[in-house]
Amino acid sequence: MGTEQLGIRFGTPVSAGDPPRVCLPRPPHLATVCGISCGMSARHFFETLRAERVTMLVDTRQTTTYRDARFAHGDDFVYACGRHDVGYTHVAELAPTADLRATYHRVADGKSASRDERAVAWTAFLKGYAKLVATDRKILREGSPLRELLYGPHKSIAFLCACPHHEDCHRRVLLGMVARHVAGVGIANLSPEGVGGFAPSLKTPRRYLLEPIPSADIPASHMPGRKTP
Ligand SMILES: [Zn+2]
């Protein structure tokens, strides 16, 4: 993934291999970008953010008013963040499209779909999302909402989605892209274990990514018994 594709105007490719690694300069304040799920209790959620000193929550869900979103729902959620001294912003261009999600769920939710077909659909979803944010939307372009957040006043920000495990979620692509393309920023997947909650479990077959996503440094995780093409 080159500079033009990502919308990064400057930077230094540091590897001659594929694909070129391009770095934006180290942000003045930001040290860590985290991923977190709202699929836990409100207490565990806000205690986890506090323990990690996260001061800005970046909502990457396609819609913020799911019926099952419990505490992370619409204006009530924004109010709760304020009460816990956490900033909140919903960045629509970091969410997957309805089309990508529908295409995946058509296969994944079908009773007759094989494990293989589901893994293929998950791989297509995650790769489609990576292309959407990197090539189509150029989320790291100058002046983009993400760029403003990365170079803003916060030391630690967190991408939010509802998927419990980070490997089952598009947020891992966002974290991977930041780690790959922004100098000096660490990434972390937050889990409520540290504040008395349970670690989320992986869903099958989402855990099987049949092809790597180089723009986010995500390797393939091959399914046992499946012949690689
Ligand atoms: Zn998700």
Side-chain angles (χ1 to χ4, degrees):
M1 188 72 55
T3 49
E4 255 169 59
Q5 278 174 299
L6 276 164
I8 300 172
R9 290 261 192 82
F10 56 93
T12 317
V14 294
S15 80
D18 83 327
R21 181 180 296 268
V22 178
C23 276
L24 289 169
R26 177 189 286 266
H29 304 293
L30 188 74
T32 316
V33 174
C34 311
I36 191 167
S37 165
C38 54
M40 62 180 86
S41 71
R43 181 169 75 82
H44 287 153
F45 181 79
F46 286 110
E47 283 185 4
T48 300
L49 290 180
R50 182 179 297 271
E52 301 296 329
R53 296 190 167 85
V54 172
T55 52
M56 176 55 96
L57 198 61
V58 184
D59 199 335
T60 71
R61 294 174 295 173
Q62 196 202 338
T63 163
T64 61
T65 52
Y66 296 105
R67 211 178 31 185
D68 298 335
R70 299 189 298 163
F71 71 91
H73 192 283
D75 290 342
D76 287 348
F77 188 36
V78 180
Y79 173 78
C81 287
R83 295 288 291 177
H84 289 87
D85 297 322
V86 179
Y88 172 91
T89 182
H90 177 239
V91 180
E93 71 174 29
L94 301 184
T97 60
D99 230 35
L100 273 173
R101 296 181 68 230
T103 304
Y104 168 69
H105 282 291
R106 254 199 306 277
V107 177
D109 300 348
K111 289 200 167 56
S112 59
S114 67
R115 193 179 67 147
D116 205 82
E117 286 166 335
R118 288 181 180 160
V120 169
W122 175 245
T123 302
F125 171 82
L126 220 54
K127 284 191 79 85
Y129 174 76
K131 177 186 172 293
L132 173 78
V133 290
T135 310
D136 303 343
R137 294 180 175 167
K138 300 184 179 1
I139 55 167
L140 282 169
R141 70 190 180 279
E142 206 164 351
S144 72
L146 178 58
R147 192 87 162 246
E148 297 288 308
L149 286 161
L150 295 175
Y151 290 89
H154 297 279
K155 228 177 139 182
S156 182
I157 66 175
F159 293 126
L160 171 87
C161 186
C163 311
H165 198 286
H166 67 274
E167 286 193 24
D168 296 337
C169 181
H170 67 275
R171 65 183 185 268
R172 73 181 301 203
V173 172
L174 293 175
L175 289 185
M177 281 184 182
V178 168
R180 182 176 174 85
H181 297 289
V182 185
V185 175
I187 58 171
N189 292 297
L190 304 187
S191 160
E193 280 174 290
V195 295
F198 292 106
S201 53
L202 266 167
K203 276 191 192 180
T204 297
R206 288 196 188 187
R207 66 175 63 185
Y208 300 123
L209 190 64
L210 304 177
E211 294 171 45
I213 302 179
S215 60
D217 276 342
I218 298 176
S221 50
H222 291 293
M223 197 160 68
R226 184 180 198 273
K227 286 205 173 81
T228 50

